[in-house]
Every structure is written in structure tokens, then in C-alpha cells.
């Protein structure tokens, strides 16, 4: 509903009326709507609670507070925008809609941001939902608790609190999205990296059953971490804070001290180096089944990866140069860690003529972390429809190639945002964004991204480069793609 004679749209949620903004192109945007109570005080490590109702009209013109987090290290801060908005009410969401009329029945897409479950937010400009609304989709994005607040394992607190936040946000969508023109029966949940891992968990979580009809996993497989890998994070933080490793003790600690301790322990882990990390764990209440098994017969799925995921992890740190200096030893260590045999390395060399040790090692590690798990997932899901893709366009930023997270500006059709150029560089091709964004819209609207589901044998759909058939034909005549 809208105020008589006004230009600011309003919608009535179960907790009260919110007033958004009418933006360019007739897009109605509502930002910073609480979907759960602020996780402060005794709620810092508790399961999410419903937000308090309000009287009158609540302004929804600006992004709400982001979840507490430590900033990215300098080497990544120039590539990955990560706004920090202070405030306690961080469990909030945003809605972009072309038509906030109740009963419009539009498809809905719910975005879960990445950031290794320790960083990121819905306020990242690359995640602007205007293009989805322009194309007839109601786009929802939200924040959830990160790091130790969302995924620290304690004996006196529920596990997977960040996942519980995500379920609470999806429950809000089910109960309220009709007031913004969305159809709660046509919800697609999608995410990248840690967001994709979260999507896999949601497909397995009993609390999320029935909350969405389709799913998209970008560069993240379904996984749970063993508790022996996650517990050391809390124990190390407790040692730095000089308190017991309990939620009660961590609740009493000042938030800046928690974040400083978290930043210190995070320096010892990473996607390539491994080690202790914050992550989802098996839990009888929130995640009783391994997501990799549970999603096999779940909702229709769109999933894929970028051709050179590893370059975001290795190039900014200088690790590519180190691995090249190590030579064959780097390739052998990556082979052992990836579980590949030497025949697989020979095949990789043949497939990537001229690739140096760092690239070969990076591809092996990417296979282990992303490509192989997603291929296994697609194979296990048959006959459930799974559409696979690979993103190949190389960044204009030297050294990044077709790296992890590069596809985001194309999926959201936000290449015009200055922050998109941080990762993509200048002059990213709008035609590729048109193609990729349309595929995501088509999947959300009708389950069809524009190519056939994977049949268990063929290659994935390629974005931003020659198809597999074209690449093979080029190599047959001596041309390196």
C-alpha cells in the first residue's frame, strides 16, 4: 500500500508498517527491516527471537546495521567492498520490488551473501537488487550473525546460530513477502561462497523445509566441518581473552575485544591453507544430516563455479609467486592434498598447456574445494534437475583471471556500480551481464536458466568464454583458447 498522494511506498508486515523509497525505474525499495530481535545481551549467543512490533510507520529508507565483524586484511579490502554500519539491530533485511501490491504474485529471490561466514553484508553495493526488480522479481537480501557470534561452538549455546538466523529470515519472507508483491510459494534462495554453503545447509535443515522452491549455489559446496576443526577457534579466542570457552563468558566480554580476538585467530586459517575455521557443524537440532547427502533429492538447483577460483585466494597474497618458485613440489603437494592421482595431473597439464606450477596447484585445490564436490552433488541428484555452469571471463585486474566472486556483478547486473570494478576492473562486458542475469531470472521465474539440466555426462554451460566444444575445436587446430 502507498500513502495517498505520496511517493514513498508502504507495506504492512506482521510487526508493523514500513515506509520505503521509490527509486529510478519505478523500483520500490525497503531497507533495514528487522526480521529478528537484536542479538545483544543474553541474546548474543541465543537462537533468534521475533522482532518487537511497532506502532506507526517505521522508516525503511536506509540499510540497517551490519553484523559485527572484523575488516578484511588490506590485501583484500581493495578488492572486496564490505561496508560496516554500526548498531545492535543487525538482523535485518531489504526488499526490492517492482510492484508492492499484495497479491501481485511475483517470483522471489532471497540472497545470502558470502565472506567465509566471517565478513560481508547485504549492504554491499554489488548486491543491489534493482535489476532483479526491473525484470519482475522481488529481491530480498539480509544480514546474519558471523564469526564467533554465528558459528562459534560452545557447550552452553545452540550451534549454527547464523544458519538459524537465515531460517528466521526465510520464515519472515514466507509470512510477509506477499505484502511486497511476492509469492511465498515461488521463492528461490541463492548465495555465493559461504552463502552457497549456507544454501546447501538450508536444503538439509529441517527448520527450512518448505521455505523455498528452488536454489542456486555459486562457488560453494554443501558441507559441514568436524567439530574438532571448529572448536579450536573458540578455545584460542578464550585464551586471548583470558576467559572460559563458554557462551556465558563470551557474552560478558566487550564486543570490540571479541572482534579483536577473532581477527587474531582468523589469521591462522584460510580456504587454501586449511586449519581451524568457523563453519557449520552437524547438530541434532539445526543440521542433523550431512547436507551433501540431504540435498540429493531436494529442490531444483542451479550450481557452478568460476574457471580460476583459486586466484582470489592466492594472487593478492603473493602465493602465486611462491608456488611458481617451488616448481614441481608445489604441484605434488597440491596433488596429495586434492586426493588426485598422477594421471589426473598429466591430464591437467594436457588441458592447460603452458600453465605454471601455481596455476596447476591452484586448479587441483579448486577441484578439491569446489568443482569435484559440486559435480558429485549434481551426479547424486539425478533425476532431480541440476543446471551446471562455469564462468570463464577473466578480470581486468592483473593477476585475478576468472577468480572467485568475479561473477557477482554479472549476476546482479551491477557492473555500473563503482565497487564492481574493484574486482572486475574497467570495461567489463555488459552483454555478459545481460546473459547471466537473464539466466538467474529465468531460473527463478520458471526453473529454466536457458540450458538443459546436467545429464550426468556433458560439460557445464559456459559464461564468458568458448564452449567446451569450441575450445576442443580450437585446440585441434593448434589455437590456445
Amino acid at each position: 500500500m502507498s500513502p495517498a498522494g505520496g511517493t514513498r511506498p508502504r507495506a504492512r508486515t506482521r510487526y508493523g508498517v514500513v515506509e520505503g523509497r521509490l527509486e529510478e525505474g519505478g523500483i520500490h525499495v525497503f531497507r533495514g527491516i528487522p526480521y529478528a530481535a537484536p542479538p545483544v545481551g543474553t541474546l548474543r549467543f541465543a537462537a533468534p527471537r521475533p522482532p518487537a512490533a511497532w506502532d506507526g510507520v517505521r522508516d525503511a529508507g536506509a540499510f540497517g546495521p551490519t553484523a559485527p565483524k572484523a575488516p578484511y586484511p588490506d590485501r583484500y579490502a581493495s578488492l572486496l567492498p564490505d561496508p560496516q554500519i554500526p548498531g545492535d539491530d543487525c538482523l535485518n533485511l531489504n526488499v526490492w520490488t517492482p510492484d508492492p501490491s499484495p497479491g501481485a504474485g511475483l517470483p522471489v529471490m532471497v540472497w545470502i551473501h558470502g565472506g567465509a561466514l566471517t565478513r560481508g553484508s547485504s549492504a554491499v553495493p554489488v548486491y543491489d537488487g534493482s535489476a532483479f526488480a526491473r525484470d519482475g522479481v522481488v529481491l530480498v537480501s539480509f544480514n546474519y550473525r558471523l564469526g564467533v557470534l554465528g558459528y562459534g561452538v560452545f557447550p552452553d549455546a545452540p550451534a549454527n546460530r547464523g544458519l538459524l538466523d537465515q531460517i528466521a529470515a526465510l520464515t519472515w519472507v514466507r509470512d510477509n513477502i506477499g505484502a511486497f508483491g511476492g509469492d511465498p510459494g515461488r521463492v528461490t534462495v541463492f548465495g555465493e561462497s559461504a552463502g552457497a554453503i549456507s544454501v546447501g545447509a538450508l536444503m538439509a535443515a529441517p527448520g527450512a523445509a518448505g521455505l523455498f522452491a528452488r536454489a542456486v549455489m555459486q562457488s560453494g559446496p554443501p558441507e559441514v566441518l568436524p567439530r574438532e576443526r571448529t572448536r579450536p577457534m573458540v578455545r584460542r579466542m578464550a585464551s586471548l581473552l583470558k576467559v572460559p570457552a563458554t557462551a556465558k563468558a563470551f557474552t560478558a566480554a566487550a564486543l570490540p575485544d571479541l572482534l579483536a580476538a577473532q581477527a587474531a585467530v582468523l589469521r591462522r586459517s584460510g580456504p587454501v591453507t586449511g586449519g581451524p575455521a568457523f563453519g557449520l557443524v552437524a547438530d541434532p537440532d539445526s543440521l542433523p544430516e550431512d547436507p551433501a547427502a540431504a540435498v540429493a533429492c531436494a529442490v531444483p538447483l542451479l550450481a557452478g563455479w568460476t574457471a580460476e577460483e583459486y586466484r582470489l585466494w592466492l594472487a593478492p597474497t603473493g602465493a602465486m609467486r611462491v608456488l611458481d618458485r617451488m616448481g614441481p613440489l608445489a604441484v605434488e603437494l597440491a596433488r596429495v592434498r586434492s586426493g588426485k592421482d598422477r594421471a589426473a595431473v598429466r591430464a591437467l597439464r594436457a588441458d592447460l598447456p603452458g600453465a605454471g606450477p601455481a596455476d596447476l596447484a591452484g586448479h587441483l585445490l579448486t577441484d578439491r574445494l569446489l568443482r569435484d564436490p559440486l559435480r558429485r552433488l549434481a551426479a547424486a541428484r539425478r533425476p532431480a534437475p541440476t543446471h551446471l555452469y562455469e564462468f570463464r571471463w577473466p578480470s581486468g585486474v592483473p593477476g585475478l583471471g576468472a577468480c572467485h566472486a568475479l561473477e557477482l556483478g554479472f549476476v546482479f547486473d551491477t557492473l555500473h556500480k563503482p565497487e564492481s570494478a574493484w574486482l572486475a576492473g574497467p570495461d567489463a562486458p555488459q552483454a555478459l551481464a545481460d546473459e547471466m542475469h537473464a539466466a538467474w531470472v529465468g531460473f527463478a521465474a520458471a526453473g529454466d536458466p536457458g540450458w538443459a539440466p546436467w545429464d550426468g555426462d556433458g560439460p557445464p554451460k559456459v559464461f564468458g568464454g568458448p564452449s567446451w566444444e569450441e575450445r576442443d575445436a580450437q585446440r585441434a587446430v593448434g589455437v590456445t583458447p
Side-chain angles (χ1 to χ4, degrees), residues 458-472:
K461 157 75 175 176
V462 172
F463 287 103
S467 69
W468 293 91
E469 294 80 3
E470 291 168 335
R471 192 180 72 163
D472 291 344

Side-chain angles (χ1 to χ4, degrees), residues 165-229:
D165 293 344
Q166 294 167 7
I167 293 171
L170 285 167
T171 302
W172 185 98
V173 169
R174 180 196 65 194
D175 295 342
N176 296 279
I177 204 62
F180 298 83
D183 181 351
R186 302 174 66 197
V187 173
T188 298
V189 62
F190 71 130
E192 185 268 344
S193 192
I197 293 171
S198 298
V199 170
L202 288 165
M203 286 196 279
L211 294 180
F212 53 95
R214 299 186 182 99
V216 182
M217 299 172 67
Q218 300 171 216
S219 300
E223 69 174 22
V224 291
L225 298 183
R227 289 186 179 237
E228 57 267 25
R229 187 177 170 192

Side-chain angles (χ1 to χ4, degrees), residues 132 134-135 305-307 389-396 401-403 405-416 424 427-441 449 451 461-467:
F132 281 106
R134 176 199 68 202
D135 294 330
W305 51 83
T306 71
Y389 74 88
E390 179 175 283
F391 181 86
R392 285 191 191 157
W393 182 80
S395 170
C403 70
L406 180 58
E407 87 283 7
L408 290 170
F410 296 84
V411 168
F412 278 85
D413 192 10
T414 50
L415 296 181
H416 60 283
D427 304 320
Q430 181 59 44
L432 180 55
D434 294 342
E435 180 189 12
M436 203 166 193
H437 175 75
W440 265 239
V441 170
W451 67 94
K461 157 75 175 176
V462 172
F463 287 103
S467 69

Side-chain angles (χ1 to χ4, degrees), residues 2-3 7-11 18-31 57-63 95-97 100 130 180:
S2 299
T7 59
R8 291 187 175 182
R10 291 181 180 178
V18 290
E19 183 175 84
R21 299 293 185 271
L22 181 61
E23 300 191 350
E24 185 178 355
I27 306 303
H28 305 79
V29 187
F30 302 80
R31 297 180 176 92
V57 177
R58 183 185 183 107
D59 184 66
F63 287 113
V95 181
W96 285 260
T97 177
S130 297
F180 298 83

Side-chain angles (χ1 to χ4, degrees), residues 221-312:
E223 69 174 22
V224 291
L225 298 183
R227 289 186 179 237
E228 57 267 25
R229 187 177 170 192
T230 58
R231 282 197 183 104
M233 301 298 280
V234 167
R235 292 171 180 164
R236 290 175 180 179
M237 288 183 64
S239 177
L240 292 172
L241 294 166
K242 297 180 171 53
V243 299
T246 63
K248 181 179 180 181
F250 275 47
T251 295
L255 186 58
D257 294 339
L258 277 185
L259 295 179
Q262 176 175 293
V265 301
L266 283 173
R267 296 190 191 105
R268 305 185 188 184
S269 66
V272 174
T273 57
F278 293 112
L280 293 153
V281 296
D283 173 67
D285 296 319
S286 58
L287 196 56
E289 188 175 2
D290 183 349
V295 301
C297 296
V299 299
L301 177 66
L302 171 61
W305 51 83
T306 71
E308 298 171 299
E309 301 269 5
Y310 60 92
R311 282 184 170 268
L312 183 64

Side-chain angles (χ1 to χ4, degrees), residues 64 77 103-104 131 250 278 321 335 348 360 417:
F250 275 47
F278 293 112
R321 295 189 298 272
R335 182 195 70 79
L348 182 62
L360 293 171
K417 298 282 185 181

